[in-house]
Amino acid sequence: MRDAYHEELDSIGEALVDMARLVGSAIGRATTAILDADLKLAESVIAADQKIDDLQHDLEARAIALLARQQPVATDLRVVVTSLRMSADLERSGDLAQHVAKLARLRFPDRAVPYDLHATILEMGQLAQRLMAKAAEVVVSKDIDLALQLEQDDDAMDSLHRALFQHLMDDRWKHGIETAVDVTLLGRYYERFADHAVSVAKRMVYLVTGEHASDLQPDIQPEIQPDIPADAKPAGSGEAV
């Protein structure tokens, strides 16, 4: 019975990894769809979100069954409860990728992103995918140092997000209000996606140590630096701050 119990706990962890990999792929494909006005790819991202939702529902059902049958305590209880919270972060990440794809579909056959912001949105999409891949690695490895690193890496997304707004606020903006709204939403989707990846990593810190990531106060430098395209910085603005 105990072997079956721990196998079920392990399977919950595997489901989290599957979800993280799916949402990472989704944000990458959604980014391609929005930049290339690829309707077929956008539709595939939208449809694939159901699989992410199904994984979350299955994980929730198994976790609740474990709580009812085994009444876990201490570390095992922390694993189950924290896994439920991580699955919610990942499901929401999938929704955000779907939002990007839906915007691509809404504006088809036009492109939602003007050419002068193409490089910035591409970098945000690639960074979001890298952050989620790192979150998946944290779930697999339970590497606390790597998990703590992720919050520092997220600073790169924040820098890109600020640079995007600088561009939108530039007096030379010529793409109209509708495009400005689209780009604002896109920036928010990527920024929130990154936040959910960080949240998964923070929850893994708590799962392993019983302490909150903010209490550990790591002295860690980010591995990922923002690659802010020059055309995302308005003239005279200097470096993004």
Side-chain angles (χ1 to χ4, degrees):
M1 288 292 293
R2 297 303 294 176
D3 286 345
Y5 167 55
H6 285 289
E7 285 176 6
E8 191 65 21
L9 281 177
D10 290 342
S11 74
I12 289 174
E14 291 167 2
L16 288 171
V17 174
D18 288 342
M19 287 184 70
R21 289 173 176 164
L22 284 172
V23 299
S25 173
I27 197 66
R29 292 184 296 119
T31 300
T32 300
I34 197 78
L35 293 176
D36 294 349
D38 188 329
L39 180 60
K40 183 177 180 180
L41 184 58
E43 293 284 11
S44 74
V45 173
I46 293 165
D49 187 60
Q50 185 61 50
K51 184 174 182 180
I52 296 168
D53 292 345
D54 290 344
L55 278 172
Q56 190 207 15
H57 296 158
D58 181 63
L59 186 152
E60 285 181 341
R62 282 187 283 155
I64 290 169
L66 274 179
L67 288 172
R69 291 197 315 266
Q70 302 292 339
Q71 299 181 348
V73 296
T75 302
D76 287 349
L77 178 60
R78 198 160 68 233
V79 168
V80 176
V81 173
T82 305
S83 295
L84 283 169
R85 291 175 175 170
M86 285 193 286
S87 74
D89 281 314
L90 294 169
E91 189 276 334
R92 182 58 185 147
S93 299
D95 288 345
L96 291 164
Q98 187 184 56
H99 291 340
V100 174
K102 284 183 175 180
L103 184 56
R105 182 175 67 181
L106 178 66
R107 298 302 176 212
F108 182 83
D110 296 325
R111 300 191 183 206
V113 179
Y115 180 76
D116 49 346
L117 283 176
H118 190 286
T120 303
I121 295 299
L122 176 61
E123 176 62 20
M124 293 181 85
Q126 290 175 340
L127 177 57
Q129 193 168 8
R130 293 199 300 272
L131 289 170
M132 190 56 73
K134 202 167 187 177
E137 185 178 350
V138 166
V139 175
V140 172
S141 67
K142 298 180 174 58
D143 185 329
I144 301 307
D145 289 336
L146 186 64
L148 295 172
Q149 179 78 57
L150 205 65
E151 186 170 11
Q152 306 302 314
D153 291 341
D154 181 51
D155 291 344
M157 183 65 82
D158 293 337
S159 295
L160 286 164
H161 196 209
R162 287 192 294 270
L164 192 67
F165 270 98
Q166 285 182 345
H167 196 97
L168 288 169
M169 297 299 291
D170 192 334
D171 291 339
R172 294 172 299 167
W173 177 262
K174 59 181 183 296
H175 304 293
I177 294 174
E178 183 177 83
T179 300
V181 171
D182 288 347
V183 171
T184 300
L185 288 173
L186 280 174
R188 181 61 173 164
Y189 296 154
Y190 287 117
E191 188 264 341
R192 288 299 299 145
F193 187 99
D195 286 346
H196 284 298
V198 171
S199 181
V200 169
K202 284 182 174 181
R203 295 189 196 284
M204 183 55 68
V205 172
Y206 177 71
L207 188 156
V208 173
T209 68
E211 297 182 71
H212 294 287
S214 58
D215 296 332
L216 300 181
Q217 297 181 349
D219 182 19
I220 295 175
Q221 295 300 312
E223 287 186 347
I224 301 175
Q225 298 291 339
D227 182 15
I228 300 173
D231 59 6
K233 302 174 187 175
S237 67
E239 294 296 323
V241 295

